[in-house]
Amino acid sequence: MGSKKTTDAKTFDAQTFLDSAGAAREVVEYPRSEILFSQGDAATSVIYIQKGGVRLSVVSHAGREAVVAMLGPGDFCGEGGLAGQSVRTATATALTPTTVLVIAKEEMIRVLHAEHALSDRFIAYMLDRNIRIEEDLIHQLLNSSEKRLARALLLLAHYGKQDKPDRILSKISQATLADMVGATRSRVSVLLKKFTRLGFIDVRPAGITVNRSLLSVVLHE
Amino acid sequence: MGSKKTTDAKTFDAQTFLDSAGAAREVVEYPRSEILFSQGDAATSVIYIQKGGVRLSVVSHAGREAVVAMLGPGDFCGEGGLAGQSVRTATATALTPTTVLVIAKEEMIRVLHAEHALSDRFIAYMLDRNIRIEEDLIHQLLNSSEKRLARALLLLAHYGKQDKPDRILSKISQATLADMVGATRSRVSVLLKKFTRLGFIDVRPAGITVNRSLLSVVLHE
DNA sequence: GGGCGTCTGTTCAATTGTGAACACGAGTCT
DNA sequence: AGACTCGTGTTCACAATTGAACAGACGCCC
């Protein structure tokens, strides 16, 4: 809304600012399904996503998985290392072919001082991320699995953009959805069936079409 | 861990840095139970907590409440206004007599550029906050209400400090605990009784004594 | 084509959690 | 004292959710 041009993910070019600060950085490309880092790895760098998409997930001792976030271009990732975390607490997996900037921890700290545009972008990201996670947490605290799934579908379908019903990229398994909303796969299967029956969504091989009317599920108490 | 002196909440004096940047700020004190701001208010300022404690909570359309965070000295609050949020999304209530710095949004943005020490502190806070919320979210996604309550009790008892069993400040109602872990009050009552029976905690008028062994509830799958 | 792995639809008993109700005791106010 | 509120202990019928199992469908590889 009120943000300056340089803090906007669309127009912001991290590489330029890193260069002007003489900061070492490395451009790396990952094919689909490749792992950027794993839970438990040493956290020595911060990653800036240029193109593609990344899934952040955590597995419990019992082997159960939880999807913490889905990140895209302009997002940072692994920034916990800048605070006390010496180790990655989640696993980052490329959802699609993905290009990232790998920035060493110390470099990142230094550049945050040297380049306002980059620190602006970083702070903007942190604020957004905070808001997103907080909303997820609130939904977990307040809602049933049915509403949580409805919300997740709406968010994944990029709601708030156009008027028309939008599409979710084809490849999202019921298992991943279950891990995002904290439910079992069988429950997701049943709920998707229910939503389909009610005309809220349309499941087809190419992907899931989400109808705006699905909002009623989230809103109605 | 690796943070510099000025980013450390204990030794950091926000007032000094605001003054040196010639930034307007206001010191305000709130008695216990007073509301700093309410969900829906215009978000025109950022608040820095100097002394005391603040509870951040959200109520759903249906009137159900969720406690999003408990904040203390060195924490910021209402920072969502710096990103797109034009309105407060949560209600902030003083847990104890609390002293805060109220900083207008534009001032805050300006000072973040002018004073590295403050922007360092702010970024450090955001990173920590992110980690905390993310952990909460993960626990919501992965665990049962029994484990969630056990974890909340351990965190409230400041675990990781001493060896001895620690104490929770007396005033925490079962209703608040329920809102923190996303369960009903009756369930919290039952679980507290269970924990007591098993010797994990000791409930008395003065407060709840939490035994380290409560950890076994969180850890065991 | 045949085999293999992954994703899905479906079922079902068992567990977990809810929501509402009622009783009790400890303040507080007048 | 009486009336009132608030936090608590407890119970119970019922709704939500799990976890495990099995079968079918769709690639993909050799």
Side-chain angles (χ1 to χ4, degrees), chain B residues 137-212:
Chain B
L137 177 61
I138 291 168
H139 261 78
Q140 282 290 328
L141 288 169
L142 292 174
N143 295 128
S144 65
S145 68
E146 182 164 348
K147 284 180 200 163
R148 296 201 305 267
L149 178 59
R151 185 181 119 99
L153 289 173
L154 285 166
L155 288 181
L156 286 170
H158 307 123
Y159 253 98
K161 289 197 173 178
Q162 295 102 359
D163 276 332
K164 314 171 186 175
D166 214 339
R167 273 264 249 69
I168 293 185
L169 306 194
S170 61
K171 284 299 175 203
I172 179 114
S173 71
Q174 294 189 351
T176 301
L177 282 174
D179 290 336
M180 289 182 69
V181 301
T184 57
R185 191 195 58 77
S186 62
R187 181 119 254 267
V188 169
S189 176
V190 168
L191 290 177
L192 284 182
K193 237 22 200 341
K194 183 173 176 182
F195 291 160
T196 304
R197 189 164 12 91
L198 296 173
F200 291 144
I201 64 175
D202 186 26
V203 183
R204 28 179 60 257
I208 303 177
T209 309
V210 179
N211 192 300
R212 186 176 226 81

Side-chain angles (χ1 to χ4, degrees), chain A residues 6-9 12 48 74-76 117-125:
Chain A
T6 47
T7 67
D8 183 357
F12 176 73
Y48 177 80
D75 287 334
F76 290 84
L118 188 131
S119 74
D120 280 358
R121 173 67 205 128
F122 186 63
I123 290 177
Y125 164 73

Side-chain angles (χ1 to χ4, degrees), chain B residues 30-44:
Chain B
Y30 297 91
R32 179 174 134 65
S33 299
E34 198 88 344
I35 290 178
L36 312 212
F37 55 75
S38 297
Q39 202 170 343
D41 287 358
T44 54

Side-chain angles (χ1 to χ4, degrees), chain B residues 82-99:
Chain B
L82 296 179
Q85 298 187 340
S86 59
V87 154
R88 318 238 92 127
T89 55
T91 299
T93 315
L95 291 167
T96 62
T98 298
T99 312

Side-chain angles (χ1 to χ4, degrees), chain A residues 11-28:
Chain A
T11 58
F12 176 73
D13 179 9
Q15 228 160 319
T16 301
F17 296 103
L18 288 168
D19 285 343
S20 78
R25 80 284 183 289
E26 195 184 347
V27 181
V28 186

Side-chain angles (χ1 to χ4, degrees), chain A:
Chain A
M1 306 260 156
S3 56
K4 300 199 233 118
K5 228 179 298 170
T6 47
T7 67
D8 183 357
K10 308 296 178 203
T11 58
F12 176 73
D13 179 9
Q15 228 160 319
T16 301
F17 296 103
L18 288 168
D19 285 343
S20 78
R25 80 284 183 289
E26 195 184 347
V27 181
V28 186
E29 309 205 0
Y30 296 91
R32 181 173 132 64
S33 299
E34 197 89 343
I35 290 178
L36 312 212
F37 56 76
S38 297
Q39 203 170 342
D41 287 357
T44 56
S45 60
V46 175
I47 286 168
Y48 177 80
I49 303 173
Q50 290 192 312
K51 286 208 247 338
V54 170
R55 182 183 67 207
L56 269 190
S57 63
V58 171
V59 305
S60 72
H61 314 266
R64 179 158 178 189
E65 189 174 20
V67 174
V68 178
M70 310 280 259
L71 303 174
D75 287 334
F76 290 84
C77 151
E79 75 282 357
L82 295 179
Q85 299 186 340
S86 58
V87 155
R88 318 239 92 128
T89 55
T91 299
T93 315
L95 291 167
T96 62
T98 299
T99 313
V100 306
L101 247 40
V102 178
I103 310 158
K105 198 161 112 178
E106 306 73 27
E107 291 292 298
M108 185 66 184
I109 292 173
R110 198 164 61 73
V111 178
L112 282 177
H113 283 172
E115 281 294 339
H116 281 167
L118 188 131
S119 74
D120 280 358
R121 173 67 205 128
F122 186 63
I123 290 177
Y125 164 73
M126 294 293 292
L127 287 166
D128 281 347
R129 185 89 206 291
N130 241 306
I131 292 169
R132 275 192 267 167
I133 307 182
E134 197 166 295
E135 282 177 355
D136 283 349
L137 176 61
I138 292 169
H139 260 77
Q140 282 291 328
L141 288 170
L142 292 174
N143 296 129
S144 63
S145 67
E146 182 164 348
K147 284 180 199 162
R148 296 202 304 267
L149 178 59
R151 185 181 117 99
L153 289 173
L154 285 166
L155 289 180
L156 286 171
H158 306 125
Y159 254 98
K161 289 197 173 178
Q162 294 104 356
D163 276 332
K164 313 172 186 174
D166 213 340
R167 272 265 250 69
I168 292 183
L169 306 194
S170 62
K171 284 299 173 202
I172 179 114
S173 72
Q174 295 188 351
T176 301
L177 282 174
D179 290 337
M180 289 182 68
V181 300
T184 56
R185 191 195 57 77
S186 62
R187 179 120 256 265
V188 169
S189 176
V190 168
L191 291 177
L192 284 182
K193 236 19 194 347
K194 183 172 174 183
F195 290 160
T196 304
R197 188 164 12 90
L198 295 172
F200 291 144
I201 64 175
D202 186 26
V203 183
R204 30 180 58 256
I208 303 178
T209 309
V210 179
N211 192 299
R212 186 176 226 79
S213 58
L214 181 58
L215 261 174
S216 62
V217 176
V218 179
L219 296 179
H220 199 275
E221 31 154 343

